[in-house]
Amino acid sequence: YRVPQFIGNVAHELLKQSNRKSFKSALDAGCGTGLAGRFLRPLVEGPIVGIDLSKKMLELAAQCTISKGCGLKEESNEETSERSDQKLYDHLASLDLETTTLNDLMSGNDFLDEVRHGFDLIVAADVLVYFGDIQKLLTNLSKLSSDTAFLIFSCERIEEENAPASGWKLQISGRYAHSKSYVVEAAKNAGYNLVGYELIVPRMEKGEEVKGHMFQFVLGEINSNDEL
């Protein structure tokens, strides 16, 4: 399972392409146990917030630090113990991605004041496979984004010629697959413009490669002076 690492690689590449050293803030949408946080932390200078409906998963994500958890094997040495208290996530919340607001996240969390105008980066690693129609989700993510924020997410892929009119299909696995054209159109309706796309293999299942794709969007019009 390599999606969290793919997300991190893409985010790092976007930084280089936009001539930036780091993101100001990040939202890990559907963070689960925090696997993506491991790859986001080095790229984000400000707060990283994780949202997931599962409180049990959030409890695991809350235990993740720079030196342990979230995909790292347990190690015991002096250097590790000294850094073990630095958390990957600054805040974790059990909220619905389709309806949560910035006010929900900031309520009682004064240290999140710097994201009052939205997050600089939003990622969703292997999250949209649990949604058929993604329009409501993407529209709400745009409301959680700052101007010209980046959005990176993965989907499982259905070829255009095999896709129903809806653009998405429930698979035997119980996960949804989406066509590229449907995702791009839904994102466009939410105010996003496509700046990067690649085919990926998110996982192996019963010895077979699962077809997937990774999307990179920017909110609003792309500045002609920007590298992107």
Side-chain angles (χ1 to χ4, degrees):
Y1 177 62
R2 300 172 60 192
V3 173
Q5 184 174 358
F6 288 154
I7 292 277
N9 291 344
V10 169
H12 183 255
E13 190 60 31
L14 283 176
L15 278 179
K16 291 196 297 183
Q17 291 177 15
S18 56
N19 293 316
R20 299 163 64 184
K21 292 183 179 180
S22 61
F23 295 103
K24 296 177 182 177
S25 59
L27 173 66
D28 189 354
C31 64
T33 58
L35 294 178
R38 170 71 51 210
F39 301 97
L40 293 177
R41 185 71 275 178
L43 308 177
V44 183
E45 63 178 275
I48 297 181
V49 175
I51 295 178
D52 202 282
L53 278 178
S54 172
K55 292 183 178 180
K56 289 185 177 180
M57 287 190 176
L58 290 175
E59 288 174 1
L60 293 175
Q63 298 173 26
C64 298
T65 69
I66 294 296
S67 58
K68 68 178 182 180
C70 292
L72 279 190
K73 293 181 179 180
E74 291 292 332
E75 295 182 3
S76 57
N77 56 54
E78 292 183 5
E79 181 180 355
T80 296
S81 61
E82 290 175 359
R83 303 171 63 222
S84 62
D85 288 337
Q86 188 174 353
K87 300 287 188 180
L88 289 183
Y89 292 92
D90 297 281
H91 181 59
L92 293 163
S94 177
L95 295 167
D96 188 329
L97 288 174
E98 290 187 319
T99 58
T100 190
T101 65
L102 287 172
N103 284 337
D104 290 336
L105 290 172
M106 292 175 59
S107 179
N109 298 296
D110 294 339
F111 69 95
L112 291 180
D113 186 60
E114 59 192 282
V115 301
R116 65 186 182 280
H117 297 304
F119 290 91
D120 203 23
L121 170 69
I122 295 181
V123 305
D126 217 22
V127 173
L128 277 73
V129 296
Y130 300 109
F131 293 83
D133 186 337
I134 62 174
Q135 188 62 70
K136 184 177 180 180
L137 171 63
L138 295 186
T139 298
N140 199 52
L141 291 182
S142 72
K143 296 176 182 177
L144 300 175
S145 300
S146 63
D147 293 338
T148 68
F150 288 112
L151 171 65
I152 305 170
F153 61 80
S154 62
C155 294
E156 291 191 10
R157 174 168 47 94
I158 185 171
E159 303 296 347
E160 300 290 342
E161 60 270 22
N162 298 326
S166 64
W168 50 268
K169 182 179 181 180
L170 180 62
Q171 305 174 101
I172 296 176
S173 64
R175 300 186 300 270
Y176 291 93
H178 302 83
S179 70
K180 178 184 178 182
S181 62
Y182 167 70
V183 173
V184 172
E185 183 65 21
K188 183 179 179 181
N189 291 339
Y192 289 103
N193 285 288
L194 185 70
V195 294
Y197 174 82
E198 60 184 299
L199 303 181
I200 62 170
V201 177
R203 58 164 55 83
M204 299 293 292
E205 198 164 69
K206 297 180 180 178
E208 299 288 332
E209 292 184 346
V210 172
K211 295 180 179 180
H213 38 184
M214 184 76 71
F215 294 85
Q216 306 158 45
F217 293 97
V218 66
L219 185 64
E221 295 299 322
I222 303 171
N223 191 322
S224 58
N225 295 322
D226 199 299
E227 289 288 331
L228 292 172

